[in-house]
Amino acid sequence: MAIRIRSHFHRGAGERTMAELASVIAMLGWKLSQDAIRHMREAQFDIDVGRQYFNFVCEYLAFMLHAADRIAYRALAAEKRAAFSTALALKLAEVVEDNRDMLIAEPEPGRCRRHFIELANARGADYADFAYDETDGPDFGFRRFFGSRLLEIVPQKDHAWVIDQIMEIEAPEAVIALEATLAGLFAPPGEARRPRRERSVGD
């Protein structure tokens, strides 16, 4: 199933706030996380509903957050980048909280939100050691670290293949979608562009 991605707003709509842009990326991240789980289940990886599912989604969204922050670093002034990345972290935490019944059936309001914020902060320090290239995206170490976090989530039988699946398939597809969407969202209002075309992950 292809995911339709809105890569920019209508012309003449004016400049959007960083929170509005973050909302678009948070929804994209959620959709891509669900698609990644579907891909991996089709590839015979076991990701069960409950703690595994919850941890997978949180790690995936944390990867998206820090990849988006690197793109914002090259596209936005420092103040706007900080506002965007902070807003995105909060929006992603909201997405996790809003879907807690589906992810983990957590009865205590706010706990899932707090968990994601703590994870996002921890991953900020972890991913800081790796590079993100304008042409090639996240470097080998960036992608491998992401895969290693999911290695701890899937069962032992899947350990031999999960890092390759993440590094070669899931992470690159996420980055393609993220780069394309943010290129449109970060473009100056009214900038001339080719006729609008929605793209799909997997096209």
Side-chain angles (χ1 to χ4, degrees), residues 22 141 164:
D164 286 344

Side-chain angles (χ1 to χ4, degrees), residues 82-145:
F84 169 76
S85 297
T86 299
L88 180 56
L90 294 175
K91 290 291 184 182
L92 290 171
E94 285 181 16
V95 167
V96 171
E97 179 69 20
D98 290 346
N99 289 281
R100 70 180 192 274
D101 288 343
M102 175 183 138
L103 294 171
I104 200 172
E106 169 56 58
E108 180 185 326
R111 180 177 288 182
C112 291
R113 183 195 307 273
R114 292 192 300 271
H115 171 85
F116 180 78
I117 293 297
E118 291 171 2
L119 178 69
N121 286 330
R123 293 294 173 261
D126 295 327
Y127 286 123
D129 291 334
F130 308 116
Y132 190 107
D133 183 76
E134 184 170 356
T135 301
D136 299 324
D139 69 6
F140 179 89
F142 202 129
R143 289 179 288 115
R144 184 171 179 80
F145 182 83

Side-chain angles (χ1 to χ4, degrees), residues 17-66:
T17 67
M18 293 300 105
E20 288 174 321
L21 301 188
S23 292
V24 175
I25 300 304
M27 184 55 61
L28 172 65
W30 170 257
K31 290 179 179 180
L32 289 174
S33 74
Q34 301 310 296
D35 206 45
I37 288 174
R38 180 181 61 81
H39 287 162
M40 294 189 71
R41 285 174 169 170
E42 289 174 353
Q44 306 303 310
F45 291 94
D46 287 338
I47 302 173
D48 296 331
V49 173
R51 178 57 64 176
Q52 268 189 324
Y53 198 118
F54 177 75
N55 288 343
F56 183 101
V57 168
C58 287
E59 287 289 356
Y60 191 101
L61 295 181
F63 171 81
M64 291 287 286
L65 167 64
H66 292 293

